[in-house]
Amino acid sequence: MFPDLARDDVFRLETRRLWLRWPEAADAPVLAALAGDWEVARLTAHIPHPYGVDDAQAFVRDSREGNAAGRHLRLVMTRKTGDRAPIGMIALEPGAQKFELGYWLGRAFWRQGFAAEAAGAMIDACFLVTRAPALTAAALEEHTASQAVLRRVGFAPVGEAPAPGRHAGAKALLFALDRESWARAA
Ligand SMILES: CC(C)(COP(=O)(O)OP(=O)(O)OC[C@H]1O[C@@H](n2cnc3c(N)ncnc32)[C@H](O)[C@@H]1OP(=O)(O)O)[C@@H](O)C(=O)NCCC(=O)NCCS
């Protein structure tokens, strides 16, 4: 899955305004406060609600174990200026041969282009350090903000499917970005 390069917590990605780094235990209270906001959780498939510090601590532990094993790559987004506290999360989770991109931002950080900025760096990292032929992503049919993020970073719509998790029964739009399209756009 992910090579040694990404399996140590010195691994980080830099964008114009952000660092993307491994989550750490000290992040749990901020992650709980941001992801505990129903407006953040409700459009995601899997963030539990309510979401407390214990949940965030367990998530950080699981994220670090999976990062260390190369099973997934889950990174905290922080701004490069100020206190460098988490403002959201971005992750690549394994699918069949492909990785699925997911992300969320605390509400105070919406509408500033941070999700696309982080997603661009994760996509580059994924194609550079793994052999994945393609990335996938999904967003609820009505979730135009997330669809806009995906299109901006090069994903194309590829179909639809029943939404997973809390949205079971609703329609999700599926997106994909293959290695060739990524390389052409680079
Ligand atoms: C979805 C999310 C990641 C978008 O990130 P973002 O950094 O705010 O996105 P951007 O600033 O790049 O905005 C993307 C587009 O959506 C629009 N948009 C952003 N937030 C919006 C909102 N709350 N309502 C309507 N449109 C919105 C922007 O105007 C922009 O449109 P444009 O491409 O036409 O300019 C963020 O809103 C979020 O974390 N939401 C909660 C968790 C979530 O939904 N995660 C994704 C699950 S699929």
Side-chain angles (χ1 to χ4, degrees), residues 135-148:
L135 287 173
T136 62
L140 276 181
E141 189 177 27
E142 72 258 31
H143 198 354
T144 53
S146 191
Q147 292 162 31

